Amino acid sequence: MTNYWVYPTRRDGKPWFILITGNYASSSEARAALSTLPKDVQANKPWVRSVQQVHQDLKLK
């Protein structure tokens, strides 16, 4: 993969790492892009997050 960013956060009190790839005009466009991710990434069942959610995570660090 190219053009991605990973940042650490916490989930259920445990370390959790968020992979960001792409900036999409809509959530439906972002969901469609999930199928273009490598199979090993898709196996982890990625989901779409808004920029607002990402910013909130980064503030909690």
Side-chain angles (χ1 to χ4, degrees):
M1 286 181 58
T2 59
N3 300 320
Y4 66 90
W5 186 58
V6 176
Y7 71 89
T9 187
R10 297 191 74 74
R11 182 175 178 178
D12 298 328
K14 297 179 182 175
W16 188 260
F17 296 90
I18 304 294
L19 168 71
I20 298 174
T21 179
N23 186 14
Y24 302 95
S26 67
S27 59
S28 59
E29 185 180 310
R31 277 191 288 281
L34 291 175
S35 65
T36 68
L37 294 172
K39 296 295 181 195
D40 57 335
V41 174
Q42 289 183 40
N44 289 308
K45 300 180 181 171
W47 68 94
V48 172
R49 301 187 76 198
S50 70
V51 172
Q52 181 182 16
Q53 289 171 313
V54 171
H55 284 184
Q56 183 177 355
D57 274 352
L58 293 173
K59 286 180 185 177
L60 295 176
K61 287 175 60 173

